[in-house]
């Protein structure tokens, strides 16, 4: 049994996509913002000038970090959304740095939440770090160095956040390995 056939709109403009993101931000609902980012990024390849769409998507994700709702599911989706924006958007050194800042905010929110950093949020952040690292290889040497330094700091902060969340004597594995075995794996 097949479900309904869904076809994406054929003539989506950059303005339509950025307006959809702006509208979702005004809702103040992190779930709505995250869903909008996912939909917009899936359509962004069809729009001219997708670099501005990437910037708008990252701005929307920044707004999520400034909302009061910092539950585990929201933080996990935030990390996944950063990964999606970096992997499918048109990025440069500035946007990759902004994506790294969002992941740092995600870590900060997780460590200040009641349960601390969960393995799911840690894996989501690690996937984002891996996506930024992979995407940064297309930058110029000086820009790669800057982005790489930020990623090293993020990985260190992820390890520290994981340690804070562990019981004495416990260990935790966080990985972002995909089906082919590519990605990052760390144990604390």
């Amino acid at each position: 049994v097949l479900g309904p056939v869904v076809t994406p709109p054929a003539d989506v403009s950059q303005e339509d996509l950025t307006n959809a993101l702006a509208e979702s931000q005004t809702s103040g609902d992190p779930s709505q913002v995250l869903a909008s980012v996912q939909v917009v990024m899936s359509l962004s390849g069809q729009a001219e000038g997708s670099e501005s769409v990437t910037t708008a998507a990252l701005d929307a994700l920044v707004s999520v970090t400034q909302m009061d709702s910092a539950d585990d599911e929201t933080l996990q989706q935030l990390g996944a959304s950063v990964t999606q924006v970096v992997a499918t958007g048109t990025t440069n050194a500035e946007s990759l740095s902004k994506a790294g800042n969002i992941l740092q905010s995600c870590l900060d929110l997780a460590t200040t939440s009641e349960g601390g950093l969960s393995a799911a949020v840690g894996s989501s952040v690690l996937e984002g770090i891996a996506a930024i690292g992979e995407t940064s290889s297309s930058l110029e040497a000086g820009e790669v160095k800057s982005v790489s330094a930020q990623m090293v700091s993020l990985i260190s902060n992820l390890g520290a956040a994981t340690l804070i969340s562990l019981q004495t004597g416990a260990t935790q594995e966080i990985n972002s390995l995909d089906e082919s075995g590519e990605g990052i794996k760390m144990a604390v």
Side-chain angles (χ1 to χ4, degrees):
V1 175
L2 295 175
V5 176
V6 179
T7 57
D11 56 344
V12 179
S13 73
Q14 148 193 335
E15 185 179 357
D16 293 337
L17 296 175
T18 55
N19 287 342
L21 289 168
E23 188 175 314
S24 71
Q25 287 179 53
T26 60
S27 74
D29 178 7
S31 296
Q32 185 175 349
V33 174
L34 293 167
S36 294
V37 168
Q38 291 174 351
V39 169
V40 164
M41 292 313 297
S42 69
L43 296 173
S44 68
Q46 302 171 17
E48 293 289 323
S50 61
E51 189 170 319
S52 66
V53 174
T54 300
T55 301
L58 290 170
D59 289 342
L61 295 177
V62 167
S63 76
V64 171
T65 67
Q66 298 165 348
M67 295 177 187
D68 291 335
S69 177
D71 64 5
D72 206 54
E73 185 178 336
T74 299
L75 295 176
Q76 188 177 354
Q77 289 176 349
L78 180 60
S81 293
V82 168
T83 301
Q84 182 185 21
V85 170
V86 169
T88 61
T90 304
T91 57
N92 55 32
E94 183 181 337
S95 60
L96 292 177
S97 177
K98 184 182 273 190
N101 291 338
I102 294 166
L103 292 175
Q104 181 61 56
S105 294
C106 186
L107 277 179
D108 294 343
L109 290 167
T111 56
T112 59
S113 69
E114 204 171 299
L117 179 73
S118 71
V121 173
S123 293
S124 180
V125 169
L126 195 56
E127 287 175 19
I129 293 169
I132 292 170
E134 187 177 317
T135 305
S136 70
S137 64
S138 64
L139 301 174
E140 294 180 21
E143 294 173 323
V144 170
K145 185 176 180 179
S146 172
V147 171
S148 295
Q150 185 182 19
M151 294 308 99
V152 167
S153 176
L154 263 172
I155 290 172
S156 174
N157 293 343
L158 176 59
T162 304
L163 278 174
I164 291 169
S165 301
L166 290 177
Q167 298 291 328
T168 304
T171 61
Q172 184 172 6
E173 184 178 284
I174 298 175
N175 77 67
S176 68
L177 301 177
D178 61 16
E179 298 81 33
S180 67
E182 291 186 19
I184 302 173
K185 184 177 187 178
M186 65 187 276
V188 179

